[in-house]
C-alpha cells in the first residue's frame, strides 16, 4: 500500500485545523474518503472514481474535504486503511472495489457513526450501502454494435473472472447482439486476472484467430484494442475511452461517471437523510453508465439502431434481461413477459443461448 | 495445422521476453550472484524503452535506452551486494520494489499514450514460403536476436575462456581469487549483463507485445524468468525450452477455451506453471541434477580476505 505523502500531510493539516477551532469560522467540513484498488493514473476504473472525487469537491466547495488512498490491495491491508480513515474523522467512506467487502464489514461494526459505501458488493448493514452500475445496459449496447458490425457472426469476450457481475456482461452483450442479428455466436475466454496486458493481448489474438471479429472485454488494459487495430477487427473499451490505442478498431465502450452518485450521497449525509441497508443500481438513465464516443466509421443505419435502443433503455421501455431468455443448454431461465429481478444479478451463473462453452465452475 | 500457426506465433512472442530475462539471469547466477530484482529491472526497462521510443520515434533507441536503464538499476544492486556485501536475497527483493515504484513514478505521464508497434520483418523469399514462412520468418527482429543471444550465451558459458572463469568464480570465488581471477569485476559485468537483458525484456513488453506503458505491466514475468533459470538447471538450452514451453501452454489454454473445451479455466490457468514444472522435473529426474548444477557459491557474498 502506498499512502501518498501529501494525503498524510493534508490529513494532519485538517486535524490541526480541527484542533484549533478559533482559527476556523465556518462549520467543520464533512470529511469524505475514497479507497482505491489501483493507482489514480490507471487510465480506467480507479481513474474514473478519482475524476468523480474531484467533481464532488468542485461541487460541494468548502462543505467537504476529500482524501483518497490509492493502491490498496483487497486484503487485510484494506482493513487497516479503513480503520485509519475512520479514526481520522472521515464520516463518509467510499470503498471502490468488490474485494473490500469483508474488511469493510468488520470496520463498519467498530465505527457505527461512520457511513460506508461499497461498490458492486452484496452485503449491506445499518451503516453500509452498496452501489453498483447497471453495466448490463452498457454491454447490451456494445452487443447491438457488435451484432451489426460483425462479418463472421462470431463475437468474442475477454472475461476476467467468471463471477456473476462479469457473466452478466457477457450475457448482456450476447443478448444485445442477438437483438439485431439472430445468427451471432459468442466465444468467451477467461484470463483469470483483472489486469495483465500480455495475457489480454494473447486472448484477443486467439479470439481473432478463431474468427471473432468484434471482441468485448471485462479486463482493464487496452491490449485487445491494439490487437484489433492491427488485425483490422473491432473491439470495445472499458471504463475509459481507449480510442487512442486503436482509432479504427474501437467501436465504442462503457465508461462510468460516478460524480452524480457521489454528490447525491454526500448531500444526504450533510442534510441527515442518509440511511443504511440500501442497494442502489444506477445505469444510463442516471448518467452513471456512459457510452464511449462512437467510431465515425459505423454506418448511419447502425448508429440509428444503437440510438433507438439506448433511448429505450433510458426510458425503461427496454430491459436487457426481459424474457424469454434461455440458457445455452436450452433451459428457460426468464419466462416470456417477465424480466430478471435485480437481486438475481448477484448470483447469475449461466450463459444465455448463443454463448459457446459452459460457465467455469 | 493452419489453425496452429497463429498459436505458435503467439507462443514465440509470449516467450521472447522470458528468454531475454532468463538468459541474463543465468549468466548472473552462474557467476554466483542471485539477483531477485528482475521484475524491477524489467519494469524500468519497459518505461525507459517506451519513453525513449516515443521521444525519438526509433525502436532501436528505445531498446538501447531500456538496456541502459536496466544496467543502471543493476549497478545499484552490484554496488550494494558486491562492494558493501549486503544480503543478495534482501537486496534483490528491494530492487524489485524499487523498480516497481520508480517505474510507476517516472511513467506517471506516459500512461494511456500509444506508440508504434515494432514491425515484423519479412525476409525476401523465406517469408513467402507457405506455412513455414508464416511459422518461422514472420517475427520482429528481437525474436531473432533472442535466438542469437541464446547461441551467444551458450557458447560463452561452455566454450569461451572468460565464460569458464565466470563459472569458476560462481563455484568457488575464493579459489578463483587465489589464482588471480578478478572476482568482483567479473561479477559486476555479469550483473550488468543481467540488467541489460532484463531491461530489453521489459522493453519487449512495452514496445512489441503490448505497445503501451501501464504501471506494473510485467505482471510477474520477472519471477517466472527467475523460476525458469532454476528449473532449467542453469543451462541456457533448458532455460529456452522452458520459456517456449511456458509460453506455449499459456497460449494453448486460451485456444482451448476459445474452442469451448469443458475444462475449468482455473485449471487451465494453472496449466502453464504445472506443465513447465512437470516437464523440467522430468528433464532432471535425478534429484542431484539441481544440486550439482547449482553454482556452489550462489547467493553468498565474497570478500577477498575471507
Amino acid at each position: 500500500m502506498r499512502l501518498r505523502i501529501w494525503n498524510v500531510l493534508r490529513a494532519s493539516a485538517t486535524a490541526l485545523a480541527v484542533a484549533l477551532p478559533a482559527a476556523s469560522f465556518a462549520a467543520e467540513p464533512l470529511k469524505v474518503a475514497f479507497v482505491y484498488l489501483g493507482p489514480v493514473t490507471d487510465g480506467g476504473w480507479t481513474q474514473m472514481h478519482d475524476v468523480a472525487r474531484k467533481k464532488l469537491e468542485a461541487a460541494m466547495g468548502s462543505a467537504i474535504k476529500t482524501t483518497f488512498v490509492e493502491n490498496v490491495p483487497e486484503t487485510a491491508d484494506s482493513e487497516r486503511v479503513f480503520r485509519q480513515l475512520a479514526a481520522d474523522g472521515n464520516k463518509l467512506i467510499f470503498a471502490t472495489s468488490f474485494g473490500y467487502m469483508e474488511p469493510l464489514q468488520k470496520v463498519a461494526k467498530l465505527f457505527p457513526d461512520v457511513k460506508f459505501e461499497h461498490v458492486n458488493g452484496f452485503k449491506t448493514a445499518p451503516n453500509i450501502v452498496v452501489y453498483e452500475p447497471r453495466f448490463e445496459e452498457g454491454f447490451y449496447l456494445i452487443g447491438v454494435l457488435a451484432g451489426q458490425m460483425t462479418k463472421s457472426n462470431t463475437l468474442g469476450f475477454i472475461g476476467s473472472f467468471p463471477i456473476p457481475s462479469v457473466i452478466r456482461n457477457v450475457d448482456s452483450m450476447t443478448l444485445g447482439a442477438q437483438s439485431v442479428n439472430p445468427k451471432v455466436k459468442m466465444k468467451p475466454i477467461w484470463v483469470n486476472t483483472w489486469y495483465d496486458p500480455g495475457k489480454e493481448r494473447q486472448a484477443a489474438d486467439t479470439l481473432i484467430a478463431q474468427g471473432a471479429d468484434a471482441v468485448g472485454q471485462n479486463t482493464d488494459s487496452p491490449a485487445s484494442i491494439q490487437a484489433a487495430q492491427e488485425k483490422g477487427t473491432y473491439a470495445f473499451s472499458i471504463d475509459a475511452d481507449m480510442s487512442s490505442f486503436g482509432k479504427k478498431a474501437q467501436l465504442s465502450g462503457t465508461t462510468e461517471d460516478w460524480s452524480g452518485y457521489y454528490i447525491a450521497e454526500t448531500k444526504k449525509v450533510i442534510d441527515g437523510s442518509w440511511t443504511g441497508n440500501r442497494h442502489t443500481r444506477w445505469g444510463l438513465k442516471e448518467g452513471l453508465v456512459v457510452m464511449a464516443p462512437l467510431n465515425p466509421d459505423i454506418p448511419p443505419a447502425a448508429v440509428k439502431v444503437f440510438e433507438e435502443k439506448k433511448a429505450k433503455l433510458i426510458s425503461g421501455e427496454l430491459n436487457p434481461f426481459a424474457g424469454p431468455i434461455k440458457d445455452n443448454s436450452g433451459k428457460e431461465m426468464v419466462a416470456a413477459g417477465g424480466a430478471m429481478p435485480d437481486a438475481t444479478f448477484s448470483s447469475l451463473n449461466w450463459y444465455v443461448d448463443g454463448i459457446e462453452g459452459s460457465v467455469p465452475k | 495445422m493452419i489453425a496452429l500457426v497463429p498459436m505458435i506465433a503467439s507462443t514465440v512472442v509470449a516467450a521472447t521476453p522470458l528468454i531475454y530475462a532468463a538468459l541474463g539471469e543465468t549468466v548472473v547466477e552462474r557467476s554466483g550472484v542471485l539477483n531477485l530484482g528482475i521484475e524491477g529491472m524489467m519494469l524500468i526497462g519497459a518505461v525507459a524503452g517506451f519513453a525513449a521510443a516515443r521521444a525519438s520515434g526509433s525502436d532501436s533507441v528505445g531498446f538501447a535506452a531500456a538496456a541502459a536503464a536496466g544496467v543502471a538499476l543493476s549497478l545499484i544492486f552490484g554496488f550494494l551486494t558486491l562492494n558493501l556485501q549486503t544480503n543478495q536475497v534482501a537486496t534483490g527483493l528491494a530492487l524489485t520494489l524499487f523498480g516497481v515504484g520508480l517505474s510507476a513514478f517516472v511513467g506517471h505521464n506516459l500512461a494511456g499514450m500509444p506508440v508504434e508497434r515494432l514491425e515484423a520483418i519479412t525476409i525476401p523469399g523465406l517469408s513467402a514460403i507457405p506455412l513455414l514462412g508464416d511459422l518461422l520468418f514472420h517475427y520482429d527482429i528481437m525474436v531473432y536476436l533472442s535466438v542469437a543471444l541464446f547461441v551467444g550465451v551458450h557458447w560463452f558459458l561452455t566454450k569461451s575462456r572468460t565464460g569458464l572463469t565466470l563459472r569458476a568464480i560462481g563455484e568457488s570465488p575464493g579459489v578463483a581469487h587465489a589464482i588471480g581471477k578478478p572476482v568482483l569485476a567479473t561479477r559486476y559485468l555479469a550483473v550488468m549483463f543481467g540488467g541489460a537483458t532484463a531491461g530489453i525484456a521489459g522493453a519487449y513488453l512495452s514496445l512489441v507485445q503490448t505497445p503501451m506503458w501501464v504501471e506494473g505491466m510485467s505482471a510477474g514475468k520477472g519471477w517466472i524468468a527467475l523460476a525458469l533459470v532454476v528449473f532449467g538447471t542453469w543451462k541456457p538450452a533448458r532455460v529456452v525450452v522452458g520459456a517456449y514451453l511456458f509460453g506455449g501452454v499459456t497460449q494453448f489454454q486460451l485456444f482451448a477455451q476459445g474452442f469451448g473445451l469443458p475444462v475449468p479455466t482455473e485449471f487451465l490457468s494453472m496449466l502453464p506453471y504445472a506443465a513447465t514444472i512437470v516437464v523440467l522435473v522430468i528433464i532432471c529426474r535425478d534429484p542431484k541434477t539441481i544440486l550439482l548444477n547449482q553454482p556452489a557459491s550462489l547467493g553468498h557474498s565474497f570478500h577477498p580476505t575471507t
Side-chain angles (χ1 to χ4, degrees):
Chain A
M1 185 206 73
R2 204 170 39 150
L3 192 75
R4 286 263 163 126
I5 189 73
W6 48 82
N7 286 331
V8 179
L9 288 177
R10 194 193 288 167
S12 24
T14 322
L16 204 67
V18 173
L20 301 167
S24 64
F25 298 101
E28 193 181 320
L30 175 75
K31 291 176 78 178
V32 185
F34 290 79
V35 179
Y36 301 142
L37 178 65
V40 292
T41 54
D42 71 348
W45 180 257
T46 293
Q47 192 165 338
M48 290 297 147
H49 284 284
D50 199 54
V51 166
R53 180 189 65 84
K54 288 181 189 144
K55 283 191 193 169
L56 169 70
E57 233 174 20
M60 306 296 290
S62 60
I64 61 160
K65 200 113 200 150
T66 69
T67 317
F68 69 90
V69 186
E70 58 183 342
N71 284 323
V72 179
E74 296 173 319
T75 57
D77 268 342
S78 68
E79 190 182 324
R80 217 174 54 226
V81 173
F82 290 126
R83 205 184 285 256
Q84 195 191 334
L85 287 170
D88 279 351
N90 290 286
K91 289 296 171 223
L92 176 60
I93 298 177
F94 291 98
T96 67
S97 190
F98 172 77
Y100 298 147
M101 189 157 70
E102 296 307 329
L104 205 59
Q105 295 289 324
K106 278 195 211 164
V107 179
K109 284 198 187 82
L110 293 173
F111 294 91
D113 62 329
V114 177
K115 294 158 178 72
F116 295 92
E117 300 242 0
H118 180 217
V119 84
N120 288 354
F122 50 80
K123 287 188 179 173
T124 59
N127 61 338
I128 300 181
V129 156
V130 169
Y131 60 111
E132 187 183 10
R134 288 185 181 274
F135 274 131
E136 67 272 18
E137 298 180 348
F139 275 89
Y140 187 87
L141 287 177
I142 281 180
V144 168
L145 290 175
Q148 296 182 94
M149 299 296 285
T150 176
K151 291 177 197 80
S152 62
N153 288 330
T154 307
L155 310 182
F157 184 87
I158 304 172
S160 47
F161 292 93
I163 57 176
S165 62
V166 181
I167 293 171
R168 169 196 68 192
N169 295 345
V170 63
D171 276 354
S172 43
M173 179 174 167
T174 311
L175 291 170
Q178 287 168 342
S179 76
V180 291
N181 180 351
K183 283 182 298 212
V184 289
K185 287 268 171 286
M186 166 66 89
K187 281 176 186 287
I189 285 189
W190 299 95
V191 290
N192 289 313
T193 170
W194 287 108
Y195 176 75
D196 180 343
K199 213 165 172 190
E200 293 169 43
R201 169 76 198 214
Q202 289 180 322
D205 284 342
T206 302
L207 285 167
I208 293 169
Q210 294 182 350
D213 61 356
V215 176
Q217 65 166 329
N218 212 140
T219 43
D220 292 341
S221 90
S224 72
I225 294 171
Q226 286 182 325
Q229 177 81 4
E230 275 170 39
K231 304 275 164 56
T233 59
Y234 300 120
F236 298 89
S237 71
I238 189 155
D239 296 333
D241 177 14
M242 297 170 172
S243 55
S244 59
F245 291 96
K247 284 217 156 16
K248 293 189 97 52
Q250 182 184 312
L251 292 178
S252 180
T254 55
T255 68
E256 306 92 45
D257 179 358
W258 304 91
S259 61
Y261 182 78
Y262 288 158
I263 293 171
E265 291 297 300
T266 307
K267 283 186 173 153
K268 278 186 200 164
V269 173
I270 290 177
D271 68 23
S273 64
W274 195 94
T275 53
N277 280 323
R278 282 176 295 139
H279 189 136
T280 313
R281 301 187 85 236
W282 278 18
L284 290 165
K285 188 173 79 182
E286 296 84 358
L288 204 170
V289 175
V290 181
M291 299 308 289
L294 292 185
N295 188 320
D297 293 346
I298 304 174
V303 173
K304 192 164 166 271
V305 174
F306 171 86
E307 293 296 349
E308 278 168 14
K309 297 260 184 196
K310 189 175 160 188
K312 282 186 184 169
L313 283 169
I314 291 175
S315 72
E317 207 178 318
L318 176 64
N319 179 335
F321 279 89
I325 297 176
K326 278 193 234 161
D327 74 0
N328 70 351
S329 68
K331 195 168 137 210
E332 187 178 83
M333 304 306 283
V334 181
M340 198 152 86
D342 274 357
T344 312
F345 283 115
S346 49
S347 60
L348 185 66
N349 64 351
W350 43 270
Y351 283 158
V352 298
D353 194 25
I355 302 181
E356 291 180 4
S358 53
V359 175
K361 289 283 152 57
Chain B
M1 187 61 204
I2 299 294
L4 283 180
V5 172
M7 187 169 139
I8 292 167
S10 299
T11 299
V12 171
V13 172
T16 299
L18 296 176
I19 291 176
Y20 276 105
L23 282 177
E25 180 70 10
T26 305
V27 173
V28 178
E29 293 192 12
R30 276 294 184 101
S31 80
V33 180
L34 179 67
N35 186 353
L36 298 180
I38 304 182
E39 182 87 358
M41 297 189 294
M42 275 177 83
L43 281 168
I44 284 291
V47 73
F50 184 84
R54 240 189 100 77
S56 66
S58 149
D59 288 310
S60 328
V61 175
F63 279 104
V71 170
L73 208 61
S74 72
L75 280 174
I76 302 177
F77 175 84
F79 178 71
L80 290 171
T81 57
L82 299 177
N83 292 95
L84 303 182
Q85 320 249 319
T86 56
N87 180 297
Q88 293 179 6
V89 172
T91 312
L93 290 173
L95 194 70
T96 286
L97 295 175
F98 177 62
V100 170
L102 184 67
S103 63
F105 178 69
V106 173
H108 200 78
N109 296 321
L110 293 170
M113 290 184 183
V115 67
E116 280 297 306
R117 187 181 199 206
L118 179 61
E119 288 293 318
I121 47 174
T122 38
I123 305 158
L126 290 179
S127 298
I129 306 173
L131 210 60
L132 211 60
D134 279 341
L135 216 52
L136 293 177
F137 304 109
H138 233 88
Y139 300 110
D140 54 273
I141 180 82
M142 296 313 286
V143 168
Y144 302 112
L145 287 180
S146 73
V147 178
L149 182 73
F150 156 66
V151 175
V153 166
H154 181 75
W155 173 83
F156 174 76
L157 286 176
T158 53
K159 299 285 185 322
S160 80
R161 203 172 174 80
T162 334
L164 295 176
T165 305
L166 178 132
R167 283 168 56 185
I169 289 170
E171 293 300 330
S172 177
V175 172
H177 176 72
I179 58 168
K181 299 292 181 195
V183 175
L184 273 198
T186 310
R187 284 187 165 179
Y188 250 110
L189 289 173
V191 165
M192 286 164 69
F193 177 75
T197 56
I200 290 171
Y204 193 82
L205 301 177
S206 66
L207 295 176
V208 185
Q209 230 180 48
T210 48
M212 60 173 141
W213 161 252
V214 263
E215 218 179 298
M217 69 184 301
S218 58
K221 291 187 182 66
W223 299 111
I224 292 171
L226 207 63
L228 284 173
V229 176
V230 179
F231 290 119
T233 59
W234 295 271
K235 290 190 192 313
R238 288 182 182 173
V239 169
V240 169
V241 168
Y244 279 122
L245 189 75
F246 184 83
V249 183
T250 312
Q251 200 53 41
F252 164 77
Q253 59 109 348
L254 295 173
F255 260 74
Q257 281 196 50
F259 284 124
L261 209 70
V263 181
T265 59
E266 290 82 358
F267 177 79
L268 289 172
S269 288
M270 181 195 77
L271 214 54
Y273 305 90
T276 311
I277 292 172
V278 167
V279 169
L280 290 166
V281 163
I282 294 171
I283 292 177
C284 43
R285 276 183 307 276
D286 186 350
K288 290 196 201 83
T289 327
I290 282 199
L291 282 177
L292 285 179
N293 281 297
Q294 179 175 13
S297 78
L298 184 63
H300 298 300
S301 293
F302 169 73
H303 192 271
T305 56
T306 52

